[in-house]
Amino acid sequence: MTTGAERDRLAEGLGAAILEGLDADGDPAQHLALVRRAAAAEDEVAELLRQSVLAARAAGHSWAALGAELGMSRQAAQQRFGDRKGVAVDAEDGEDAERWLGPVTAFDEMAELELAGRQGWRTVGAGMLKHRVRRTPTQWEHKRIVWTGPMRRWERDGWEVAVRAFPWVYLVRDTGLPAESR
């Protein structure tokens, strides 16, 4: 369980991010900006929670262990965060085609993404043990980094955030080279 000190640090960090650059005391209209930012933070925190649960599942933790951490039953955790099967329709194998790449693990996903990238596939999403990739006419580089802060450093080198899959961030960079044929 989270300690009081951990909760305080999280609240301090979230509060600072939400309040950054605002002066609600000086300008009452900025209260609406506060509401908007707090709602965006809530959405981001919910997504981080979902991604952390999926990462814990991929690491082998049981629904019972996750439920205990979340203060809910195994069944409640599984219902809330379990695999939501969605029907994804692939486009024709043209420039706009999308598909799932997987199953992949933390040990082999980068090698698989390297091969896919040379064929013009770039990551646009990620799920447990899989990547959603989109076909393009050019080759792509993929990089996985630990999410430690702002991405400006990577963006200066031409990388763009493809997907945040806590605790990872997957970056992609267009090489400009024509995609290799399969």
Side-chain angles (χ1 to χ4, degrees), residues 11 37 51-52 79 101 126 128 142 152 169:
R37 286 182 178 186
Q51 291 175 8
S52 348
Q79 286 177 345
L101 174 68
M128 191 180 334
H142 291 81
R152 288 184 293 273
V169 175

Side-chain angles (χ1 to χ4, degrees), residues 35-98:
V35 170
R36 183 176 57 254
R37 286 182 178 186
E42 180 181 37
D43 292 344
E44 286 301 314
V45 168
E47 179 60 17
L48 286 172
L49 176 58
R50 187 188 70 77
Q51 291 175 8
S52 348
V53 167
L54 295 177
R57 287 288 297 152
H61 294 283
S62 69
W63 286 113
L66 287 162
E69 285 295 316
L70 295 167
M72 61 179 65
S73 71
R74 170 190 64 81
Q75 294 89 347
Q78 189 172 13
Q79 286 177 345
R80 181 171 172 190
F81 299 103
D83 190 20
R84 297 180 190 136
K85 300 271 187 223
V87 179
V89 179
D90 289 341
E92 293 299 314
D93 194 21
E95 192 172 307
D96 295 329
E98 285 191 10

